[in-house]
Amino acid sequence: MAPPKKSKKAKRESKKSKKCKSMSVVPIEPRATESDWWDSFWQKNSPIPVFSATKWRDECNPFKNASVMKIFYTVSDCSAIPTDEAEGFKFFFRVSKKTFDYICSLVRQDLVSRPPSGLINIEGRLLSVEKQVAIALRRLASGESQVSVGAAFGVGQSTVSQVTWRFIEAVEERAKHHLRWPDFNRMEEIKSKFETSYGLSNCCGAIDATHIIMTLPAVQTSDDWCDQENNYSMFLQGVVDDEMRFLDIVTGWPGGMTVSRLLKCTGFYRNCEAGERLNGNVRILSEGAEIREYVVGGVGYPLLPWLITPCEYNDIPSSMSGFKTNHEAARSLAVRAFSQLKGTWRILSKVMWRPDKRKLPSIILVCCLLHNIIIDSKDKLQPDVALSSHHDPGYGQQCCKQVDPLGKAMRENIAKHLQHGKEKAPSN
Amino acid sequence: MLCSISTGKSGSKWLDRLRSAKGFPTGNDDDLEHFLTHRDPNLSNSPITKPSDPKSISDSTCSDEKPVQDRSQPPETGEKEWFGIMSNVLAELFNMGDSNQIPKLSGKKSSRKQTNPKICLLSSVRQEDEVPATAPSSGDNSLTEMKDSNGEVKTVNQGKVDCLDAEEEKCNQDLSAYSRSEVTVIDTSCAVWKFEKLLFRKKNVWKVRDKKGKSRSIGRKKRKASECDEQLEARKKMKLSVESFKERNEEESAMPSNEEQNPHNAKKEECKETSDGLSQVPKKRSPFSRLPRKSREGGSPVILVRGSKKTGANLPKITLKDTSRRHKA
């Protein structure tokens, strides 16, 4: 059933009234209110294909047989679906209902469907913003094929494709404020958290990079995208704060680079080198040594005054052993952030099937934005969502030999300060 | 018409059909000679021999350089230019052996051959790595080059060639040994988060260049041709028309056994022709080089469109026009 064509007048009226009365006037799913999409979805996809689901299927769904298949498919696929509805919601969409509503509010004006060109589902009804957001989130969260995501919602593959991309574009534009370099006050908070938790004075964050693996059509394959593990991949580098929130990301550079080369391609590097970032208060230690602002990173990164990497030599002086542990603990924030990101938005951890390399960075960015939105909304994620293994399974750490003398001096100062603090602590 | 060529290519009457399609007398060498002699006094004393070995013809036509240079001159220089050009073409076609007009006709037969087929394979696999001016042919893989053409080759057909190509040229000079990728980057440390870069790589050496192509590929269609552009356009069309003339001969003569040679030849020619800055041509042109059978649809059977789709559509007319003008002369 195609949506009834409206006269210009009617359209104008509906537009007018929409202004006054928000969404309810737009003829969205006439038989379904805003929450109904979830009821339908939950009935279809809840762990127990309850009687109500069957009933719903018989009553409402013209594609009975297809529906049965869908139920079994989706359920068999997700054995770990919580029985609790709220938990189930988080399981499917990775966000609480509250956060979900917030995301809808962010993108609503971009996603509102209007007849006749609006997106419609199989029954010929316009898709509500909520359902579109749900479809897109499910696609990003599960990484399942567009067909199976569509099946779970009763929409076609192309609808999933369109809706997801529209959502990505909208979030990319409207959720930017969830990913930004902290202002002075926030940075002071971050630094104090790092100092409290890891004993690292003046540490502003942790940096790491991960590969987003993909397949490429034969004509597009290139060694540039072929990484150390012979996968075609795209880099994602991020700096995270003490809450694993992304403060800065870079993506789009090919996986064939080394991490240190990647770093040098980034605006973060340029800003730091130019003294425009990590240029806050310098800590002056009692011994007169100085510790400037810095981030901690792995051995793949060069040792720089503002990027402190672990000591690579084995015979670490005793003064350094404590530093190494604490450094690794702080750095693991970034590692965990990527595990969390890739686990939550599984589209990033599955091998992407021939993605458009122009679009892929946007997908990655949006996942990072959603990651931050979850943290900003104080949603508690299910702990088993994150990848159990390292975010880059199979990737050995490449070691960067570059050592800046100033960086080395900085590292020694930090280590000394840490040691000093530890020696002081027991006496207190 | 489509079928007439492809089915008849094994036959021996291709030359007749070729001639008849262009309004030349067929089947009789004397008439042809007379026809040509009558039209072109320059050629009056050159003996006309019927090509006995098709392959040798295609070899010789492709190895010459002089006509190529001639062709690259703008058509504004007058009828005389045209005259010379057409003479060359006809000479190439019919092996008239006029050494004044076509001094290099006889030499370098082997140079058009693909000397290293491996390169060809490589480039067809790694399209992103190709550097336009020096990229080896990968005529076997039209998809590859189609894609490339999106980004770069539009330069050739429409305006603003000069500055952009100068840039590109400069790039290529520095980075000719580098592989090349276009990347879309999102960097939240930059004022504009999303931007495109050109990435050049040679082993561990990576170079990043700003991509000018965005404005080129998006804005190009809208841009109206300036006077200079029109000249370029005309020149381009002329080249193509001349080539189409030539290529049809190649097609006909060498198609059965030497299919894979043709793209390479065409590309090679193009490289020479476009030394005036149109270095992007090869990529654009060759994708279509293996679509002759398709492109015959609806056109004159002998005019094979080798160029871009856009200019290709105009080719038959222009070629005919040129020929007819020639006839009137």
Side-chain angles (χ1 to χ4, degrees):
Chain A
M1 246 197 349
K5 280 195 175 177
K6 298 183 103 189
S7 70
K8 273 188 180 175
K9 202 178 170 187
K11 221 191 247 178
R12 222 179 296 142
E13 274 170 7
S14 80
K15 256 188 187 172
K16 214 191 277 175
S17 49
K18 200 183 78 242
K19 273 181 194 165
C20 327
K21 230 192 149 189
S22 77
M23 286 300 301
S24 56
V25 186
V26 179
I28 299 160
E29 307 216 325
R31 283 192 287 160
T33 61
E34 283 186 8
S35 62
D36 273 2
W37 72 266
W38 164 246
D39 294 339
S40 313
F41 182 87
W42 180 242
Q43 279 170 343
K44 258 199 216 182
N45 300 288
S46 65
I48 321 142
V50 281
F51 174 70
S52 61
T54 323
K55 196 178 155 201
W56 170 86
R57 195 183 67 219
D58 292 342
E59 283 172 358
C60 312
N61 195 336
F63 309 102
K64 286 179 191 171
N65 292 332
S67 171
V68 171
M69 277 169 60
K70 272 177 239 160
I71 286 173
F72 285 120
Y73 177 76
T74 45
V75 170
S76 65
D77 206 29
C78 316
S79 51
I81 304 171
T83 45
D84 177 62
E85 207 174 311
E87 286 302 308
F89 192 94
K90 274 193 192 173
F91 173 86
F92 284 113
F93 307 111
R94 310 296 198 226
V95 294
S96 67
K97 277 194 173 172
K98 196 179 146 207
T99 310
F100 182 87
D101 289 340
Y102 169 69
I103 295 169
C104 290
S105 74
L106 280 179
V107 298
R108 183 171 304 279
Q109 63 192 99
D110 293 328
L111 296 193
V112 166
S113 291
R114 295 188 191 89
S117 60
L119 289 161
I120 54 170
N121 66 11
I122 284 174
E123 285 92 13
R125 301 180 198 136
L126 283 168
L127 291 176
S128 66
V129 171
E130 284 72 17
K131 190 161 176 176
Q132 291 181 56
V133 171
I135 291 168
L137 288 180
R138 184 68 196 138
R139 168 91 174 108
L140 297 176
S142 68
E144 284 170 12
S145 70
Q146 293 172 343
V147 173
S148 52
V149 170
F153 286 92
V155 298
Q157 170 269 327
S158 68
T159 307
V160 176
S161 169
Q162 281 185 64
V163 163
T164 309
W165 183 243
R166 274 173 52 154
F167 174 79
I168 285 167
E169 285 185 313
V171 173
E172 197 181 358
E173 193 54 42
R174 303 203 179 270
K176 279 183 168 177
H177 56 282
H178 284 281
L179 203 165
R180 58 182 172 194
W181 193 253
D183 57 17
F184 177 82
N185 291 331
R186 173 70 194 132
M187 190 53 95
E188 290 301 313
E189 279 176 39
I190 293 170
K191 290 199 286 191
S192 84
K193 288 270 174 57
F194 269 102
E195 177 136 31
T196 316
S197 308
Y198 310 103
L200 296 176
S201 182
N202 238 11
C203 179
C204 297
I207 189 170
D208 199 10
T210 191
H211 295 84
I212 310 297
I213 302 170
M214 57 194 170
T215 61
L216 292 177
V219 290
Q220 285 183 37
T221 54
S222 153
D223 281 353
D224 296 354
W225 296 93
C226 189
D227 60 34
Q228 58 187 55
E229 298 299 322
N230 285 329
N231 296 316
Y232 293 106
S233 65
M234 185 178 276
F235 261 122
L236 165 63
Q237 178 187 270
V239 180
V240 302
D241 67 7
D242 57 297
E243 294 176 77
M244 301 199 293
R245 185 189 282 103
F246 287 107
L247 305 178
D248 178 272
I249 70 146
V250 181
T251 188
W253 296 106
M257 290 179 159
T258 59
V259 170
S260 59
R261 160 57 51 194
L262 167 72
L263 176 73
K264 279 158 195 168
C265 290
T266 63
F268 179 69
Y269 176 85
R270 285 192 296 273
N271 287 343
C272 291
E273 287 288 291
E276 291 162 5
R277 190 164 282 179
L278 297 175
N279 57 351
N281 293 339
V282 176
R283 277 289 285 278
I284 298 173
L285 306 179
S286 51
E287 312 89 64
E290 289 184 352
I291 297 179
R292 59 165 289 172
E293 288 186 340
Y294 61 93
V295 294
V296 289
V299 290
Y301 285 100
L303 175 60
L304 301 168
W306 51 267
L307 204 173
I308 303 300
T309 57
C311 338
E312 62 274 17
Y313 40 85
N314 293 324
D315 50 340
I316 306 162
S318 59
S319 63
M320 279 291 192
S321 62
F323 165 78
K324 196 185 177 193
T325 316
N326 289 31
H327 177 279
E328 185 52 31
R331 193 188 76 84
S332 71
L333 280 171
V335 180
R336 272 156 50 209
F338 280 124
S339 290
Q340 183 77 45
L341 178 82
K342 282 184 153 182
T344 309
W345 309 107
R346 302 234 162 183
I347 195 169
L348 299 183
S349 60
K350 297 197 172 177
V351 177
M352 291 224 201
W353 176 249
R354 299 183 172 189
D356 183 334
K357 287 205 286 288
R358 289 159 189 261
K359 288 183 173 180
L360 183 52
S362 298
I363 298 172
I364 296 169
L365 169 66
V366 164
C367 291
C368 293
L369 289 170
L370 292 168
H371 172 98
N372 280 8
I373 288 173
I374 291 170
I375 295 170
D376 292 344
S377 329
K378 309 249 182 287
D379 268 4
K380 278 194 179 152
L381 279 175
Q382 292 177 304
D384 56 348
V385 163
L387 296 179
S388 50
S389 55
H390 188 265
H391 59 75
D392 247 0
Y395 283 82
Q397 287 248 40
Q398 290 172 323
C399 203
C400 178
K401 302 280 180 209
Q402 189 188 336
V403 174
D404 184 309
L406 285 174
K408 202 172 177 187
M410 261 283 290
R411 185 164 69 188
E412 278 160 14
N413 288 343
I414 296 165
K416 264 185 220 161
H417 181 64
L418 185 69
Q419 185 78 5
H420 187 66
K422 275 191 178 170
E423 283 164 5
K424 237 174 143 186
S427 63
N428 286 340
Chain B
M1 287 196 234
L2 252 175
C3 301
S4 69
I5 292 277
S6 48
T7 54
K9 67 191 173 189
S10 55
S12 58
K13 294 186 176 178
W14 62 270
L15 188 57
D16 290 343
R17 275 185 286 106
L18 179 63
R19 287 171 178 169
S20 67
K22 299 308 290 175
F24 294 110
T26 56
N28 188 329
D29 285 354
D30 293 334
D31 280 354
L32 181 63
E33 184 176 17
H34 177 256
F35 173 79
L36 292 169
T37 314
H38 182 69
R39 296 295 163 194
D40 188 353
N42 288 334
L43 304 174
S44 59
N45 51 1
S46 59
I48 294 163
T49 52
K50 192 176 179 179
S52 54
D53 179 9
K55 202 182 169 201
S56 75
I57 289 201
S58 61
D59 280 351
S60 59
T61 52
C62 287
S63 61
D64 67 321
E65 278 171 339
K66 184 70 187 299
V68 164
Q69 283 160 9
D70 285 347
R71 260 176 256 135
S72 64
Q73 287 170 17
E76 289 75 33
T77 46
E79 197 76 355
K80 212 167 183 181
E81 280 296 323
W82 266 111
F83 209 70
I85 289 160
M86 292 314 291
S87 302
N88 284 340
V89 172
L90 292 170
E92 286 163 12
L93 266 179
F94 301 111
N95 197 13
M96 291 180 288
D98 187 331
S99 57
N100 289 333
Q101 290 289 324
I102 334 153
K104 297 190 182 177
L105 192 67
S106 52
K108 286 192 193 173
K109 280 194 179 182
S110 59
S111 67
R112 62 181 287 275
K113 298 227 174 190
Q114 197 170 340
T115 50
N116 190 359
K118 263 189 180 175
I119 291 173
C120 180
L121 280 172
L122 194 74
S123 73
S124 69
V125 173
R126 301 180 37 175
Q127 60 93 19
E128 304 239 359
D129 300 2
E130 287 182 10
V131 179
T134 56
S137 164
S138 58
D140 292 332
N141 196 339
S142 60
L143 256 179
T144 296
E145 288 167 355
M146 288 272 269
K147 202 209 162 199
D148 281 346
S149 69
N150 292 338
E152 304 154 11
V153 190
K154 278 166 188 162
T155 318
V156 174
N157 293 324
Q158 285 162 318
K160 280 203 182 171
V161 178
D162 299 343
C163 54
L164 289 172
D165 274 4
E167 183 83 23
E168 194 79 47
E169 283 283 283
K170 206 174 148 193
C171 249
N172 290 336
Q173 277 167 14
D174 298 337
L175 304 164
S176 54
Y178 288 67
S179 72
R180 170 193 152 118
S181 299
E182 289 173 17
V183 291
T184 302
V185 176
I186 291 182
D187 190 331
T188 60
S189 285
C190 299
V192 179
W193 283 14
K194 200 173 189 176
F195 49 87
E196 297 195 340
K197 291 278 184 188
L198 276 178
L199 195 56
F200 295 88
R201 179 198 194 184
K202 193 166 73 179
K203 290 184 181 171
N204 289 329
V205 183
W206 296 78
K207 294 191 179 196
V208 181
R209 295 282 183 272
D210 283 329
K211 195 189 167 198
K212 311 269 180 185
K214 202 178 178 188
S215 60
R216 200 191 308 170
S217 57
I218 293 170
R220 186 148 294 271
K221 283 175 189 168
K222 293 170 189 168
R223 227 175 272 144
K224 291 195 173 178
S226 65
E227 201 181 317
C228 169
D229 297 338
E230 278 166 13
Q231 285 179 13
L232 264 165
E233 192 82 8
R235 199 194 308 176
K236 165 92 182 154
K237 280 173 183 171
M238 197 180 81
K239 277 180 218 160
L240 285 172
S241 69
V242 167
E243 273 164 23
S244 67
F245 221 111
K246 207 162 95 178
E247 279 162 12
R248 79 186 188 218
N249 188 19
E250 272 182 61
E251 272 312 311
E252 294 255 339
S253 59
M255 194 151 40
S257 58
N258 299 326
E259 260 177 348
E260 74 280 8
Q261 278 187 358
N262 290 338
H264 184 72
N265 299 339
K267 177 164 279 189
K268 205 164 180 181
E269 273 170 36
E270 277 296 336
C271 288
K272 291 172 200 162
E273 281 175 25
T274 55
S275 56
D276 54 348
L278 307 177
S279 58
Q280 311 288 339
V281 180
K283 288 193 175 181
K284 179 111 195 179
R285 278 173 42 82
S286 34
F288 302 98
S289 59
R290 67 166 201 180
L291 303 173
R293 276 162 220 156
K294 279 179 196 167
S295 63
R296 270 168 214 159
E297 216 171 280
S300 159
V302 286
I303 292 164
L304 293 171
V305 181
R306 271 275 189 103
S308 69
K309 268 179 185 166
K310 283 173 208 158
T311 52
N314 297 328
L315 268 178
K317 280 181 202 164
I318 285 161
T319 317
L320 288 173
K321 210 165 72 188
D322 293 341
T323 331
S324 62
R325 202 195 298 174
R326 171 82 184 86
H327 286 204
K328 281 172 203 163

